[in-house]
Amino acid sequence: VGFNSTNGLVIVEFSSGKHAATTQGEVINGETIKCLTPAVANTIGPKVCTVRVQIGARDLTTTTTSYNFFLNSVAEKSLCYGPGVLQEQAAGQETRCTIQLRNQNGENRKSGRDELVISLQQKFQNEEGKDLLRDLPYELIDLDNGQYS
């Protein structure tokens, strides 16, 4: 029994009020369907949705689950703070900083799993006295609340 018991095209419907968006899914096992979320910025928007599934010629499921759409992170609205961003640091010592992601409204994100591209650099002077930047190694920890340490 479960999702494996029915063959056919898998449609996943996300709905909230009078708005709905669908996407194609893939049965992974009897309890799991995988799909990419549909673009809902101009329809459902950032809110909790009801999710139902249709496989083949069958109707949408009567049982539901929920999914939370949220506004994407915006780098220009986000911030980085902590001792690691201060200019004066002890040479050769580990330090820390926190990145707080925010959305287009300036609100703190409440979930993680963002795909971040960051660069951590240190200013130094070369032999000619010119200021240059060098990339530093770092470990990025997803705190799953919109913060990365």
Side-chain angles (χ1 to χ4, degrees):
V1 186
F3 296 128
N4 288 333
S5 65
T6 305
N7 293 320
L9 180 67
V10 179
I11 300 296
V12 182
E13 178 189 78
F14 297 80
S15 63
S16 180
K18 61 183 176 180
H19 298 288
T22 60
T23 188
Q24 189 171 336
E26 173 189 355
V27 174
I28 301 300
N29 59 45
E31 298 178 354
T32 306
I33 290 178
K34 176 174 96 173
C35 71
L36 296 176
T37 54
V40 298
N42 296 322
T43 56
I44 295 171
K47 59 181 68 160
V48 176
C49 298
T50 300
V51 181
R52 300 189 316 160
V53 176
Q54 176 185 8
I55 302 177
R58 295 189 175 230
D59 291 333
L60 285 165
T61 55
T62 56
T63 55
T64 64
T65 189
S66 61
Y67 184 83
N68 190 11
F69 283 103
F70 50 84
L71 292 173
N72 289 331
S73 302
V74 176
E76 293 79 16
K77 299 273 185 174
S78 300
L79 60 108
C80 183
Y81 61 91
V85 299
L86 299 175
Q87 188 168 7
E88 299 300 322
Q89 296 286 317
Q93 297 298 310
E94 184 177 295
T95 189
R96 297 194 179 277
C97 63
T98 299
I99 299 170
Q100 173 63 62
L101 296 183
R102 293 186 171 165
N103 63 29
Q104 67 192 33
N105 298 332
E107 301 162 334
N108 289 345
R109 283 286 308 279
K110 295 182 174 89
S111 63
R113 297 179 297 281
D114 290 271
E115 294 181 13
L116 302 179
V117 177
I118 64 172
S119 176
L120 185 61
Q121 297 180 320
Q122 177 183 38
K123 185 166 62 169
F124 72 99
Q125 288 186 342
N126 64 8
E127 295 85 27
E128 295 86 38
K130 183 177 178 183
D131 285 339
L132 298 174
L133 296 174
R134 84 176 94 196
D135 288 331
L136 297 175
Y138 60 88
E139 177 184 13
L140 186 65
I141 301 169
D142 183 350
L143 302 177
D144 202 27
N145 64 0
Q147 292 183 349
Y148 295 80
S149 176

